[in-house]
Amino acid sequence: MIARTFLTDDRRSAIFLGLLAIAAVVVPFCHLVFPPSSLLHIGTSSVALWGKYLSFAILALSLDLIWGYAGILSLGHGAFFALGGYAMGMYLMRQIGSRGVYANPLLPDFMVFLNWKELPWYWWGFDIFPFAALMVVLAPGILAFVFGWFAFRSRVTGVYLSIITQMLTYALWLSFFRNDMGFGGNNGLTDFKDILGFPVQAPATRAALFSITAMTLMLCYIVARYVVASKLGKVLVAIRDAESRTRFLGYRVDAYKTFLFTLSAAMAGIAGALYVPQVGIINPSEFHPAQSIEVVLWVAVGGRGTLVGAALGAILVNFAKTTFTSGILAPYWLFVLGALFVLVTRFLPNGIVGTFFDVAADTRSARRPAHAGSTSASGRLREAESEAPLK
Amino acid sequence: MRRLATLLWLLAVLLAAPATAAKLDEALARLLDDSYGETAIAAGEIATSGDANASAILEALADNRLQFSAAQKLVAITGKEGKLANAATGAVVTAPPADLTPVRQNNRVRGAVQEALGAMTLLSPDPAKRLDAAQSIFKSQDATKLSQVEAALDGEKDPRVSLALEAARAVILLGKADAPQTARLAAVVTLKQRGDQSAIAALRNVPADAPAALRDAANRAVADIEKGLAVWRIGQNVWYGLSLGSVLLLAAIGLAITFGVMGVINMAHGEMVMLGAYTTFVVQEVIRNAAPGLFDYSLAMAIPLAFLVAGAIGMAIERTVIRFLYGRPLDTLLATWGVSLILQQAVRTWFGPTNREVGAPNFMSGAFKIGELVITWNRLWIIVFAGLIFIGLLMALKYTALGLHMRAVTQNRRMASSMGIPTARVDALTFGLGSGIAGLAGVALSQIDNVSPNLGQGYIVDSFLVVVFGGVGNLWGTLVGALSLGLANKLLEPFAGAVLGKIILLIAVIMFIQKRPRGMFALKGRAVET
């Protein structure tokens, strides 16, 4: 029923979901069925690469949900992504069993190396996939809930909130570097062998992971779309545009924000969990504040408050990054990235998708569709409000 | 002080001249015998003769430059330039005797000469050399030096040197089983008064076969010293904390004023610091190539330049990017992040990715000690520098027109604008000022940190920490924020370690923000959003 609402009155969603569905089927098909010599064959590295892009798209989507629709700019969303990734990484570590360098059936290699005698309590249960999967959602979810609960109840907003989210991920970054934390320190978790009994490196597993990622992106999109199209979504937009006014109207602003923040963090965790088996490693660098800011750029490039744009932005920017950094232009990538930040905020505040739909809507009729109009109308509102002193 | 001591010493030498001359002549006469045994004895006698030429004679002997003529009863030194001089008087020998032969040496003589030279440094006219010699004996605990130390102690006038000599004697006595019990107990007291880590080490070295009373006394002394040292260690950590606090203050203060006035978090602030550091590097390069003599003034020259370079770039950023993003603080944050990436990469392309060497002028190198407190000059100067900048900024805000405008805009932008304050101009100037101060911070940080393209990145999270903790109401918030975070960081370090300490601090600040979402010194206002 939900799907029907989208597919009938929302062409953007229909196209997006349709393309993803096709990719989810065609890419594995081309990878597995056609021989490597064939033109239609998609190589192993490409499948993994595009799988990575799609997991980044999920992360961008989760950030767009809070930034585009509730005005919460998290500069630490990479932390939730990485936590989900670590949860998955821990499961994959436990699956190595005695195939590690030290052939210890009980302990991962790095613990043997550190001379640890037994598994720390927080590693218990990670050999069971359902438990690990639950943790993928719960670990970032609980952290986001606790963090959001305090921050939103204390009415920490705007730049201050952005900065404490950055501190959060910075603190985690420092923590996960410590060997004593028991997460592999600097090297993180790697050398994975199996996932659910299938070898991680095998073409079929890769293809399946790609499909699963694409389908998860679809699912996350549907959830996000459902949230923002619901009444709850309208309240969130009201909070974004005039938080105090919404509060005076009797809405529990902190409850709405906490809910959305937690949902978004869980989504980011899932993205991380899908990222790890396809990339084959998770280490503390994912926690680095710069990583999280880059996620914000993906959303900004694609268009915040558009959901589709966030996903598209993640894929575009990362595709550009891979292309750039693998060639002779590698030293200039940071120039491009920096220029993107400046130019997009300066000239394309609604991103590619947002601008495209604004223009399309303007030419079609004077009356704008509700979802596209909300971004630009909100811009005016937000400006008016931030004229208030000390914003 | 040192000059006075030398003068006194010279006076003493002059008064004692006849006696020393006789002793030296006696010793030199032994060399004429051309026997190893006599030469070895002579070496010791020359050292204790107290003659001004003694060390020159012994060095010549060690270098095989000492010659004698039995016929003319002459001992002569071949100078480093090849000239021959009378060893006793120092007068140039114009007609070298025919039977001039080098004083022969075997290993026994060489040993005696070395020992004599060692004792000589204990008697050297330079108090710094005497101090070094005494301290090296203290470290080596060489029991054979006891008599020399005692001899030196007798004539020592410099209180610092005699303290070191006493400590050296105490260490030797402590380890000497045949020394009288009372002397060894007195040695424990001497070491306890010294009260540092090396004294603890010496006291722990009391032999296991020493009498129980002595061992007890030593153990008690160790406990006492450690108690005293713990206090010093806290003092040292407070010093480190102040030093870190001043660095944080330098890095954050520019950020705080731009944030206060414009509500803009400048993510490129760290890169302004980096540009200041690179300006220092360039200035020093130019000085090294053009006028090496001016090196000590390089920082003084770099200070205004760094301010101008960083300030100009800051204003350029404001005019080309930030100006168009007013009312969108989060977008500004992203745009300035982009600028920071570009600046970083530009510097990396220009100067290379590796660390650049920035030297310290003379007055900033070295350290001194107050009790057990080690204070390095560069840290001290940075604290002074940070203090001066803070006071200067405070004055500027209070007494200049721009300062007045800045405060007005900080308190209420729209009202200020209605009163005719050119807010756009104030914004541009504030951003320039904030960036310029970051450039100044870069000059200071170039002295204690690696000058690399990543220099700014390391400070950006820390300076945010200071700004949100201190609040943007006034500069005092930044000062209190910087100092308390610096102190907390360094006082936590001994217990939790550097990384964990920092994590604890980050979490503490995150929790503090919950209590006071606008920092410690928030501006009070009646608007909803404040």
Side-chain angles (χ1 to χ4, degrees), chain A residues 157-188:
Chain A
T157 53
V159 174
Y160 284 90
L161 188 86
S162 301
I163 289 176
I164 63 168
T165 52
Q166 187 177 46
M167 286 180 194
L168 176 74
T169 196
Y170 187 64
L172 284 167
W173 180 63
L174 290 173
S175 315
F176 273 76
F177 260 118
R178 304 180 67 236
N179 279 329
D180 303 349
M181 280 284 283
F183 294 108
N186 194 6
N187 300 323

PDB file of all heavy atoms in Angstrom, chain A residues 157-188:
ATOM      1  N   THR A 157      21.452  23.275  19.610  1.00  0.00           N
ATOM      2  CA  THR A 157      21.063  23.300  18.198  1.00  0.00           C
ATOM      3  C   THR A 157      22.170  23.902  17.341  1.00  0.00           C
ATOM      4  O   THR A 157      23.183  24.369  17.841  1.00  0.00           O
ATOM      5  CB  THR A 157      19.802  24.160  17.978  1.00  0.00           C
ATOM      6  OG1 THR A 157      20.042  25.434  18.568  1.00  0.00           O
ATOM      7  CG2 THR A 157      18.575  23.527  18.566  1.00  0.00           C
ATOM      8  N   GLY A 158      21.918  23.899  16.063  1.00  0.00           N
ATOM      9  CA  GLY A 158      22.752  24.612  15.097  1.00  0.00           C
ATOM     10  C   GLY A 158      24.206  24.192  15.136  1.00  0.00           C
ATOM     11  O   GLY A 158      24.530  23.010  15.209  1.00  0.00           O
ATOM     12  N   VAL A 159      25.046  25.205  15.101  1.00  0.00           N
ATOM     13  CA  VAL A 159      26.479  24.963  15.024  1.00  0.00           C
ATOM     14  C   VAL A 159      26.974  24.193  16.246  1.00  0.00           C
ATOM     15  O   VAL A 159      27.837  23.330  16.143  1.00  0.00           O
ATOM     16  CB  VAL A 159      27.207  26.315  14.902  1.00  0.00           C
ATOM     17  CG1 VAL A 159      28.694  26.126  14.969  1.00  0.00           C
ATOM     18  CG2 VAL A 159      26.827  26.997  13.609  1.00  0.00           C
ATOM     19  N   TYR A 160      26.406  24.500  17.422  1.00  0.00           N
ATOM     20  CA  TYR A 160      26.839  23.824  18.632  1.00  0.00           C
ATOM     21  C   TYR A 160      26.614  22.319  18.518  1.00  0.00           C
ATOM     22  O   TYR A 160      27.464  21.518  18.886  1.00  0.00           O
ATOM     23  CB  TYR A 160      26.108  24.361  19.857  1.00  0.00           C
ATOM     24  CG  TYR A 160      26.621  25.699  20.306  1.00  0.00           C
ATOM     25  CD1 TYR A 160      26.080  26.877  19.828  1.00  0.00           C
ATOM     26  CD2 TYR A 160      27.676  25.775  21.198  1.00  0.00           C
ATOM     27  CE1 TYR A 160      26.567  28.094  20.227  1.00  0.00           C
ATOM     28  CE2 TYR A 160      28.171  26.988  21.615  1.00  0.00           C
ATOM     29  CZ  TYR A 160      27.612  28.149  21.128  1.00  0.00           C
ATOM     30  OH  TYR A 160      28.109  29.356  21.536  1.00  0.00           O
ATOM     31  N   LEU A 161      25.458  21.946  18.004  1.00  0.00           N
ATOM     32  CA  LEU A 161      25.181  20.526  17.860  1.00  0.00           C
ATOM     33  C   LEU A 161      26.159  19.899  16.876  1.00  0.00           C
ATOM     34  O   LEU A 161      26.706  18.812  17.118  1.00  0.00           O
ATOM     35  CB  LEU A 161      23.742  20.295  17.399  1.00  0.00           C
ATOM     36  CG  LEU A 161      23.417  18.817  17.446  1.00  0.00           C
ATOM     37  CD1 LEU A 161      22.952  18.416  18.825  1.00  0.00           C
ATOM     38  CD2 LEU A 161      22.419  18.428  16.403  1.00  0.00           C
ATOM     39  N   SER A 162      26.396  20.599  15.772  1.00  0.00           N
ATOM     40  CA  SER A 162      27.334  20.073  14.775  1.00  0.00           C
ATOM     41  C   SER A 162      28.689  19.810  15.421  1.00  0.00           C
ATOM     42  O   SER A 162      29.318  18.781  15.176  1.00  0.00           O
ATOM     43  CB  SER A 162      27.518  21.067  13.633  1.00  0.00           C
ATOM     44  OG  SER A 162      26.290  21.326  13.020  1.00  0.00           O
ATOM     45  N   ILE A 163      29.101  20.746  16.257  1.00  0.00           N
ATOM     46  CA  ILE A 163      30.430  20.599  16.838  1.00  0.00           C
ATOM     47  C   ILE A 163      30.472  19.473  17.858  1.00  0.00           C
ATOM     48  O   ILE A 163      31.446  18.722  17.907  1.00  0.00           O
ATOM     49  CB  ILE A 163      30.895  21.937  17.440  1.00  0.00           C
ATOM     50  CG1 ILE A 163      31.201  22.886  16.283  1.00  0.00           C
ATOM     51  CG2 ILE A 163      32.123  21.768  18.299  1.00  0.00           C
ATOM     52  CD1 ILE A 163      31.563  24.257  16.700  1.00  0.00           C
ATOM     53  N   ILE A 164      29.410  19.311  18.646  1.00  0.00           N
ATOM     54  CA  ILE A 164      29.525  18.197  19.610  1.00  0.00           C
ATOM     55  C   ILE A 164      29.390  16.843  18.911  1.00  0.00           C
ATOM     56  O   ILE A 164      29.966  15.871  19.359  1.00  0.00           O
ATOM     57  CB  ILE A 164      28.596  18.322  20.846  1.00  0.00           C
ATOM     58  CG1 ILE A 164      27.136  18.304  20.466  1.00  0.00           C
ATOM     59  CG2 ILE A 164      28.938  19.518  21.687  1.00  0.00           C
ATOM     60  CD1 ILE A 164      26.261  18.143  21.698  1.00  0.00           C
ATOM     61  N   THR A 165      28.676  16.789  17.785  1.00  0.00           N
ATOM     62  CA  THR A 165      28.692  15.515  17.057  1.00  0.00           C
ATOM     63  C   THR A 165      30.096  15.238  16.530  1.00  0.00           C
ATOM     64  O   THR A 165      30.555  14.095  16.512  1.00  0.00           O
ATOM     65  CB  THR A 165      27.706  15.515  15.883  1.00  0.00           C
ATOM     66  OG1 THR A 165      27.935  16.667  15.076  1.00  0.00           O
ATOM     67  CG2 THR A 165      26.278  15.510  16.349  1.00  0.00           C
ATOM     68  N   GLN A 166      30.774  16.316  16.133  1.00  0.00           N
ATOM     69  CA  GLN A 166      32.139  16.132  15.664  1.00  0.00           C
ATOM     70  C   GLN A 166      33.040  15.652  16.806  1.00  0.00           C
ATOM     71  O   GLN A 166      33.877  14.778  16.615  1.00  0.00           O
ATOM     72  CB  GLN A 166      32.672  17.445  15.097  1.00  0.00           C
ATOM     73  CG  GLN A 166      34.007  17.279  14.434  1.00  0.00           C
ATOM     74  CD  GLN A 166      34.505  18.560  13.808  1.00  0.00           C
ATOM     75  OE1 GLN A 166      34.462  19.621  14.420  1.00  0.00           O
ATOM     76  NE2 GLN A 166      34.980  18.466  12.598  1.00  0.00           N
ATOM     77  N   MET A 167      32.815  16.222  17.992  1.00  0.00           N
ATOM     78  CA  MET A 167      33.605  15.776  19.140  1.00  0.00           C
ATOM     79  C   MET A 167      33.340  14.309  19.432  1.00  0.00           C
ATOM     80  O   MET A 167      34.245  13.566  19.800  1.00  0.00           O
ATOM     81  CB  MET A 167      33.232  16.588  20.378  1.00  0.00           C
ATOM     82  CG  MET A 167      33.756  17.986  20.373  1.00  0.00           C
ATOM     83  SD  MET A 167      33.211  18.771  21.876  1.00  0.00           S
ATOM     84  CE  MET A 167      33.559  20.455  21.483  1.00  0.00           C
ATOM     85  N   LEU A 168      32.088  13.921  19.278  1.00  0.00           N
ATOM     86  CA  LEU A 168      31.729  12.528  19.546  1.00  0.00           C
ATOM     87  C   LEU A 168      32.532  11.590  18.655  1.00  0.00           C
ATOM     88  O   LEU A 168      33.153  10.632  19.113  1.00  0.00           O
ATOM     89  CB  LEU A 168      30.230  12.329  19.305  1.00  0.00           C
ATOM     90  CG  LEU A 168      29.727  10.908  19.464  1.00  0.00           C
ATOM     91  CD1 LEU A 168      29.675  10.517  20.922  1.00  0.00           C
ATOM     92  CD2 LEU A 168      28.357  10.739  18.830  1.00  0.00           C
ATOM     93  N   THR A 169      32.544  11.893  17.371  1.00  0.00           N
ATOM     94  CA  THR A 169      33.240  10.986  16.461  1.00  0.00           C
ATOM     95  C   THR A 169      34.748  11.083  16.670  1.00  0.00           C
ATOM     96  O   THR A 169      35.473  10.100  16.558  1.00  0.00           O
ATOM     97  CB  THR A 169      32.854  11.253  14.986  1.00  0.00           C
ATOM     98  OG1 THR A 169      33.258  10.137  14.208  1.00  0.00           O
ATOM     99  CG2 THR A 169      33.494  12.497  14.436  1.00  0.00           C
ATOM    100  N   TYR A 170      35.218  12.263  17.071  1.00  0.00           N
ATOM    101  CA  TYR A 170      36.641  12.430  17.350  1.00  0.00           C
ATOM    102  C   TYR A 170      37.044  11.590  18.562  1.00  0.00           C
ATOM    103  O   TYR A 170      38.082  10.917  18.547  1.00  0.00           O
ATOM    104  CB  TYR A 170      36.923  13.907  17.598  1.00  0.00           C
ATOM    105  CG  TYR A 170      38.368  14.280  17.736  1.00  0.00           C
ATOM    106  CD1 TYR A 170      39.245  14.131  16.669  1.00  0.00           C
ATOM    107  CD2 TYR A 170      38.858  14.805  18.925  1.00  0.00           C
ATOM    108  CE1 TYR A 170      40.575  14.492  16.789  1.00  0.00           C
ATOM    109  CE2 TYR A 170      40.190  15.166  19.049  1.00  0.00           C
ATOM    110  CZ  TYR A 170      41.047  15.008  17.986  1.00  0.00           C
ATOM    111  OH  TYR A 170      42.360  15.370  18.116  1.00  0.00           O
ATOM    112  N   ALA A 171      36.181  11.622  19.592  1.00  0.00           N
ATOM    113  CA  ALA A 171      36.466  10.826  20.786  1.00  0.00           C
ATOM    114  C   ALA A 171      36.482   9.339  20.435  1.00  0.00           C
ATOM    115  O   ALA A 171      37.345   8.586  20.896  1.00  0.00           O
ATOM    116  CB  ALA A 171      35.432  11.105  21.875  1.00  0.00           C
ATOM    117  N   LEU A 172      35.540   8.911  19.608  1.00  0.00           N
ATOM    118  CA  LEU A 172      35.505   7.499  19.213  1.00  0.00           C
ATOM    119  C   LEU A 172      36.727   7.149  18.364  1.00  0.00           C
ATOM    120  O   LEU A 172      37.290   6.063  18.479  1.00  0.00           O
ATOM    121  CB  LEU A 172      34.221   7.207  18.437  1.00  0.00           C
ATOM    122  CG  LEU A 172      32.980   7.100  19.311  1.00  0.00           C
ATOM    123  CD1 LEU A 172      31.722   7.118  18.465  1.00  0.00           C
ATOM    124  CD2 LEU A 172      33.024   5.821  20.120  1.00  0.00           C
ATOM    125  N   TRP A 173      37.098   8.083  17.505  1.00  0.00           N
ATOM    126  CA  TRP A 173      38.275   7.873  16.663  1.00  0.00           C
ATOM    127  C   TRP A 173      39.499   7.602  17.538  1.00  0.00           C
ATOM    128  O   TRP A 173      40.237   6.642  17.328  1.00  0.00           O
ATOM    129  CB  TRP A 173      38.494   9.128  15.807  1.00  0.00           C
ATOM    130  CG  TRP A 173      39.650   9.077  14.880  1.00  0.00           C
ATOM    131  CD1 TRP A 173      39.828   8.222  13.831  1.00  0.00           C
ATOM    132  CD2 TRP A 173      40.804   9.933  14.901  1.00  0.00           C
ATOM    133  NE1 TRP A 173      41.022   8.494  13.199  1.00  0.00           N
ATOM    134  CE2 TRP A 173      41.636   9.545  13.832  1.00  0.00           C
ATOM    135  CE3 TRP A 173      41.206  10.986  15.709  1.00  0.00           C
ATOM    136  CZ2 TRP A 173      42.854  10.169  13.549  1.00  0.00           C
ATOM    137  CZ3 TRP A 173      42.410  11.613  15.422  1.00  0.00           C
ATOM    138  CH2 TRP A 173      43.218  11.197  14.363  1.00  0.00           C
ATOM    139  N   LEU A 174      39.670   8.459  18.554  1.00  0.00           N
ATOM    140  CA  LEU A 174      40.801   8.266  19.464  1.00  0.00           C
ATOM    141  C   LEU A 174      40.685   6.937  20.208  1.00  0.00           C
ATOM    142  O   LEU A 174      41.660   6.210  20.365  1.00  0.00           O
ATOM    143  CB  LEU A 174      40.855   9.412  20.481  1.00  0.00           C
ATOM    144  CG  LEU A 174      41.253  10.788  19.962  1.00  0.00           C
ATOM    145  CD1 LEU A 174      41.081  11.827  21.059  1.00  0.00           C
ATOM    146  CD2 LEU A 174      42.689  10.771  19.468  1.00  0.00           C
ATOM    147  N   SER A 175      39.458   6.612  20.629  1.00  0.00           N
ATOM    148  CA  SER A 175      39.265   5.389  21.405  1.00  0.00           C
ATOM    149  C   SER A 175      39.603   4.149  20.594  1.00  0.00           C
ATOM    150  O   SER A 175      40.264   3.239  21.077  1.00  0.00           O
ATOM    151  CB  SER A 175      37.823   5.255  21.881  1.00  0.00           C
ATOM    152  OG  SER A 175      37.357   6.446  22.401  1.00  0.00           O
ATOM    153  N   PHE A 176      39.121   4.118  19.357  1.00  0.00           N
ATOM    154  CA  PHE A 176      39.293   2.894  18.582  1.00  0.00           C
ATOM    155  C   PHE A 176      40.740   2.705  18.137  1.00  0.00           C
ATOM    156  O   PHE A 176      41.122   1.616  17.732  1.00  0.00           O
ATOM    157  CB  PHE A 176      38.331   2.874  17.383  1.00  0.00           C
ATOM    158  CG  PHE A 176      36.995   2.308  17.745  1.00  0.00           C
ATOM    159  CD1 PHE A 176      36.094   3.054  18.470  1.00  0.00           C
ATOM    160  CD2 PHE A 176      36.652   1.014  17.394  1.00  0.00           C
ATOM    161  CE1 PHE A 176      34.869   2.528  18.836  1.00  0.00           C
ATOM    162  CE2 PHE A 176      35.428   0.481  17.755  1.00  0.00           C
ATOM    163  CZ  PHE A 176      34.535   1.241  18.476  1.00  0.00           C
ATOM    164  N   PHE A 177      41.522   3.761  18.228  1.00  0.00           N
ATOM    165  CA  PHE A 177      42.947   3.612  17.937  1.00  0.00           C
ATOM    166  C   PHE A 177      43.663   2.859  19.048  1.00  0.00           C
ATOM    167  O   PHE A 177      44.731   2.310  18.851  1.00  0.00           O
ATOM    168  CB  PHE A 177      43.598   4.981  17.773  1.00  0.00           C
ATOM    169  CG  PHE A 177      43.780   5.369  16.347  1.00  0.00           C
ATOM    170  CD1 PHE A 177      43.157   6.478  15.828  1.00  0.00           C
ATOM    171  CD2 PHE A 177      44.559   4.594  15.506  1.00  0.00           C
ATOM    172  CE1 PHE A 177      43.319   6.820  14.501  1.00  0.00           C
ATOM    173  CE2 PHE A 177      44.722   4.930  14.184  1.00  0.00           C
ATOM    174  CZ  PHE A 177      44.099   6.053  13.680  1.00  0.00           C
ATOM    175  N   ARG A 178      43.095   2.865  20.232  1.00  0.00           N
ATOM    176  CA  ARG A 178      43.769   2.248  21.367  1.00  0.00           C
ATOM    177  C   ARG A 178      43.668   0.731  21.276  1.00  0.00           C
ATOM    178  O   ARG A 178      42.587   0.186  21.087  1.00  0.00           O
ATOM    179  CB  ARG A 178      43.145   2.728  22.683  1.00  0.00           C
ATOM    180  CG  ARG A 178      43.138   4.229  22.833  1.00  0.00           C
ATOM    181  CD  ARG A 178      42.512   4.647  24.134  1.00  0.00           C
ATOM    182  NE  ARG A 178      43.312   4.244  25.274  1.00  0.00           N
ATOM    183  CZ  ARG A 178      42.855   3.501  26.269  1.00  0.00           C
ATOM    184  NH1 ARG A 178      41.617   3.086  26.281  1.00  0.00           N
ATOM    185  NH2 ARG A 178      43.643   3.181  27.264  1.00  0.00           N
ATOM    186  N   ASN A 179      44.805   0.084  21.425  1.00  0.00           N
ATOM    187  CA  ASN A 179      44.794  -1.373  21.381  1.00  0.00           C
ATOM    188  C   ASN A 179      43.978  -1.960  22.523  1.00  0.00           C
ATOM    189  O   ASN A 179      43.349  -3.000  22.383  1.00  0.00           O
ATOM    190  CB  ASN A 179      46.228  -1.909  21.453  1.00  0.00           C
ATOM    191  CG  ASN A 179      46.901  -1.863  20.098  1.00  0.00           C
ATOM    192  OD1 ASN A 179      46.241  -1.996  19.073  1.00  0.00           O
ATOM    193  ND2 ASN A 179      48.192  -1.657  20.103  1.00  0.00           N
ATOM    194  N   ASP A 180      43.983  -1.248  23.664  1.00  0.00           N
ATOM    195  CA  ASP A 180      43.279  -1.757  24.839  1.00  0.00           C
ATOM    196  C   ASP A 180      41.777  -1.862  24.638  1.00  0.00           C
ATOM    197  O   ASP A 180      41.092  -2.544  25.400  1.00  0.00           O
ATOM    198  CB  ASP A 180      43.522  -0.827  26.045  1.00  0.00           C
ATOM    199  CG  ASP A 180      44.988  -0.672  26.347  1.00  0.00           C
ATOM    200  OD1 ASP A 180      45.763  -1.450  25.755  1.00  0.00           O
ATOM    201  OD2 ASP A 180      45.349   0.204  27.149  1.00  0.00           O
ATOM    202  N   MET A 181      41.256  -1.149  23.647  1.00  0.00           N
ATOM    203  CA  MET A 181      39.812  -1.194  23.424  1.00  0.00           C
ATOM    204  C   MET A 181      39.367  -2.572  22.955  1.00  0.00           C
ATOM    205  O   MET A 181      38.207  -2.939  23.092  1.00  0.00           O
ATOM    206  CB  MET A 181      39.405  -0.171  22.361  1.00  0.00           C
ATOM    207  CG  MET A 181      39.286   1.242  22.864  1.00  0.00           C
ATOM    208  SD  MET A 181      37.785   1.509  23.804  1.00  0.00           S
ATOM    209  CE  MET A 181      36.567   1.620  22.503  1.00  0.00           C
ATOM    210  N   GLY A 182      40.277  -3.298  22.359  1.00  0.00           N
ATOM    211  CA  GLY A 182      39.924  -4.644  21.898  1.00  0.00           C
ATOM    212  C   GLY A 182      39.219  -4.658  20.559  1.00  0.00           C
ATOM    213  O   GLY A 182      38.421  -5.550  20.275  1.00  0.00           O
ATOM    214  N   PHE A 183      39.503  -3.654  19.719  1.00  0.00           N
ATOM    215  CA  PHE A 183      38.924  -3.674  18.373  1.00  0.00           C
ATOM    216  C   PHE A 183      40.018  -3.604  17.311  1.00  0.00           C
ATOM    217  O   PHE A 183      39.825  -3.045  16.248  1.00  0.00           O
ATOM    218  CB  PHE A 183      37.948  -2.512  18.184  1.00  0.00           C
ATOM    219  CG  PHE A 183      36.725  -2.618  19.052  1.00  0.00           C
ATOM    220  CD1 PHE A 183      36.558  -1.789  20.129  1.00  0.00           C
ATOM    221  CD2 PHE A 183      35.752  -3.576  18.774  1.00  0.00           C
ATOM    222  CE1 PHE A 183      35.431  -1.894  20.934  1.00  0.00           C
ATOM    223  CE2 PHE A 183      34.635  -3.679  19.574  1.00  0.00           C
ATOM    224  CZ  PHE A 183      34.474  -2.846  20.656  1.00  0.00           C
ATOM    225  N   GLY A 184      41.173  -4.137  17.654  1.00  0.00           N
ATOM    226  CA  GLY A 184      42.231  -4.218  16.657  1.00  0.00           C
ATOM    227  C   GLY A 184      43.047  -2.960  16.503  1.00  0.00           C
ATOM    228  O   GLY A 184      43.930  -2.909  15.655  1.00  0.00           O
ATOM    229  N   GLY A 185      42.764  -1.946  17.289  1.00  0.00           N
ATOM    230  CA  GLY A 185      43.575  -0.729  17.267  1.00  0.00           C
ATOM    231  C   GLY A 185      43.693  -0.117  15.885  1.00  0.00           C
ATOM    232  O   GLY A 185      42.734  -0.101  15.112  1.00  0.00           O
ATOM    233  N   ASN A 186      44.885   0.334  15.613  1.00  0.00           N
ATOM    234  CA  ASN A 186      45.208   1.008  14.362  1.00  0.00           C
ATOM    235  C   ASN A 186      44.808   0.208  13.117  1.00  0.00           C
ATOM    236  O   ASN A 186      44.309   0.751  12.143  1.00  0.00           O
ATOM    237  CB  ASN A 186      46.729   1.226  14.376  1.00  0.00           C
ATOM    238  CG  ASN A 186      47.153   2.199  13.331  1.00  0.00           C
ATOM    239  OD1 ASN A 186      46.305   2.791  12.668  1.00  0.00           O
ATOM    240  ND2 ASN A 186      48.433   2.360  13.171  1.00  0.00           N
ATOM    241  N   ASN A 187      45.034  -1.097  13.159  1.00  0.00           N
ATOM    242  CA  ASN A 187      44.799  -1.922  11.966  1.00  0.00           C
ATOM    243  C   ASN A 187      43.339  -2.258  11.749  1.00  0.00           C
ATOM    244  O   ASN A 187      42.952  -2.655  10.654  1.00  0.00           O
ATOM    245  CB  ASN A 187      45.584  -3.227  12.070  1.00  0.00           C
ATOM    246  CG  ASN A 187      47.063  -2.959  12.174  1.00  0.00           C
ATOM    247  OD1 ASN A 187      47.561  -2.047  11.544  1.00  0.00           O
ATOM    248  ND2 ASN A 187      47.746  -3.722  13.006  1.00  0.00           N
ATOM    249  N   GLY A 188      42.545  -2.145  12.798  1.00  0.00           N
ATOM    250  CA  GLY A 188      41.141  -2.478  12.666  1.00  0.00           C
ATOM    251  C   GLY A 188      40.933  -3.971  12.473  1.00  0.00           C
ATOM    252  O   GLY A 188      41.748  -4.788  12.887  1.00  0.00           O
TER     253      GLY A 188
END
